[in-house]
Structures are given as C-alpha cells and as structure tokens.
Amino acid sequence: MLITLAGVIGVGKSSMTQLLSELLETKAVCEPVEENPMLELFYADKKKYGFLFQIDMLSKRFELIQEAMSVKNGILDRSIYEDSIFLKQLYDEGAVDKLELDVYTKLLNRMLKELEPLPKKSPDLMIVLNCSFEEEIKRINKRAREFEKVEEGTELYEYFRDHHANYQDWMAKDLGFPKLIIDVTELDYVNNPEHRMKVLMMIVDELFHVGAISGEEHTYLSQKACLSRAF
C-alpha cells in the first residue's frame, strides 16, 4: 500500500504522515525541505534561484517516491504528482522563462515514466490536506524561521496567496488514482485528540472504500484510530 500526502505549505502534512505511519505501522518517507540550504536563497531571490531550487526539489521528490514505491507499504509526505504547481507559478510570475519551463516539464515527464516499472505504479490514496489562506499563513508563521515569516503586503505574502489559489485549482484535477480532500482549517489533529481521531477515521474509511484495506483491517484500524485520542 502506498499513501501520499499533499496540500498547501504549512498545513500539517509531515505531522499527518507521522500519525499515519504509527497507525498503519508502516514506513514514513518525509521530504527534507527544511534542511535544504537553497530554501533561504529561493525566498530571497526567486528569479535567480527559482529554477535551480525546483529542479533540486524535483530530484529529491523523485528519489523519495522511488523509495516509497519500492517497499511493501509506505507513506510519503509530499509527492512528485504536485511538483509542477510550484514551477508553473514561478513561470506565471516571470521568475522562470519558457525554456526553463519546457526543460522542467520534459524532465518531470521522463521521471514519471521511470516510475512505471516499479511494483507500485501509483498511490492507493492521495490525502490532500487543505485550509483557508489565512490559516495557512498563521501556521507558516508559527513554525517559521526568520527568513520564512510572511507579512501582509510583502512579495512573499503575494507568493503564498497565489500558491494557495493554484492549489485550489489543482485539487479539482483527476490524477488517475483515488484522492481524499480534508479541510483542516478548524482541525488541530496534532494537539486535539478528538480532532485527531476524526481525521484518522476519515482516512481509514476511505482506504476501505477504495479497496486498499480489507474489512478486517478496517475494523482493526478503526479501533486504533479511536485509541489515538489517548496519545
């Protein structure tokens, strides 16, 4: 079984990945974006570093999805399937040019073809965590280092606002595999046990609905999700 998380920046994908790995007793594969030394350069000058940063992240996401698809069960906190959102936005903003967009698109398509021979060709379920733009900014600033803080009226604020809008459009697309969209604007599943149980139960029910788990597994995981209120 392969599950991949998706969603706007700061929505809580990594936290949910860890919760699901504990619930399903399987491997969590997390994107090391916070440790990427190019992140600060990207925020400082997207026109100079935008293409380099996205190529670097595409390469890392390709390696991670290869890793997740090569094991029996895996959970990935962001995947190659949503990567184009970032580069397309930079192109629309004029931070990358048409040649760079074309090079990136060809590389992405080649990488997707390379995934075809793997044992698991696509996710059993993509879980898309969504929230309001105001909540996204609140969560980003809560965990942000100084160069990541987002203030209204700044270029970075406009970047995240466009990014949020682009994600809403992307969520409507058919990716060819099951997708569960959960609005977590009012849900704090990290700190609130009731919220945690609610979200985990939604995911367990959907995994059963799409045939990723059996009826017996659904019963077992539902019981575990209820017990999640205790941790």
Side-chain angles (χ1 to χ4, degrees):
M1 176 171 61
L2 175 64
I3 298 172
T4 180
L5 277 287
V8 295
I9 296 169
V11 74
K13 296 181 293 297
S14 296
S15 296
M16 179 53 64
T17 299
Q18 292 300 327
L19 287 172
L20 284 174
S21 71
E22 295 168 11
L23 177 68
L24 301 174
E25 300 171 11
T26 191
K27 183 178 179 63
V29 181
C30 297
E31 180 181 71
V33 66
E34 297 301 325
E35 289 76 37
N36 191 326
M38 289 188 64
L39 183 62
E40 184 171 2
L41 297 174
F42 169 74
Y43 282 143
D45 192 339
K46 294 193 293 293
K47 192 170 183 63
K48 183 176 181 179
Y49 295 103
F51 181 71
L52 288 174
F53 179 71
Q54 292 307 144
I55 288 293
D56 184 53
M57 292 308 302
L58 177 61
S59 174
K60 286 182 170 62
R61 287 170 185 152
F62 181 66
E63 292 175 356
L64 292 175
I65 200 167
Q66 280 184 310
E67 178 183 349
M69 284 182 167
S70 298
V71 299
K72 184 177 180 181
N73 292 307
I75 304 173
L76 191 62
D77 76 343
R78 190 190 287 280
S79 73
I80 198 172
Y81 297 103
E82 59 188 302
D83 200 87
S84 60
I85 300 173
F86 297 88
L87 202 287
K88 179 61 165 58
Q89 180 176 337
L90 291 173
Y91 173 73
D92 291 340
E93 293 175 353
V96 302
D97 59 31
K98 183 65 164 56
L99 178 59
E100 290 171 322
L101 176 64
D102 289 344
V103 168
Y104 171 90
T105 303
K106 289 177 182 177
L107 178 58
L108 175 60
N109 290 337
R110 289 184 189 127
M111 287 180 168
L112 291 172
K113 287 185 180 295
E114 287 293 319
L115 298 177
E116 293 177 3
L118 292 175
K120 179 64 67 174
K121 294 176 173 54
S122 63
D124 293 283
L125 179 65
M126 173 179 279
I127 301 164
V128 184
L129 302 177
N130 193 36
C131 66
S132 69
F133 174 62
E134 292 74 20
E135 180 65 17
E136 178 185 1
I137 296 301
K138 178 181 175 182
R139 295 187 185 192
I140 289 172
N141 283 335
K142 184 176 181 180
R143 71 175 194 183
R145 290 166 290 184
E146 193 58 38
F147 71 87
E148 296 172 299
K149 290 188 181 299
V150 184
E151 297 181 2
E152 189 170 355
T154 63
E155 179 182 340
L156 193 55
Y157 182 89
E158 295 303 317
Y159 170 81
F160 280 115
R161 185 170 66 177
D162 291 342
H163 177 71
H164 188 276
N166 290 335
Y167 249 101
Q168 308 315 299
D169 293 338
W170 174 82
M171 284 191 299
K173 295 182 178 179
D174 181 2
L175 300 176
F177 48 81
K179 179 171 57 179
L180 172 65
I181 300 173
I182 306 175
D183 191 321
V184 297
T185 302
E186 302 295 333
L187 297 174
D188 181 4
Y189 48 79
V190 174
N191 300 302
N192 186 308
E194 295 296 329
H195 291 180
R196 181 163 57 246
M197 182 188 71
K198 178 179 180 178
V199 175
L200 291 177
M201 283 298 299
M202 290 173 65
I203 294 170
V204 169
D205 287 346
E206 189 65 17
L207 286 171
F208 175 68
H209 176 73
V210 302
I213 59 174
S214 66
E216 184 177 340
E217 289 170 323
H218 178 265
T219 300
Y220 170 69
L221 292 173
S222 296
Q223 292 171 345
K224 281 193 70 177
C226 289
L227 291 175
S228 71
R229 286 177 296 181
F231 63 80

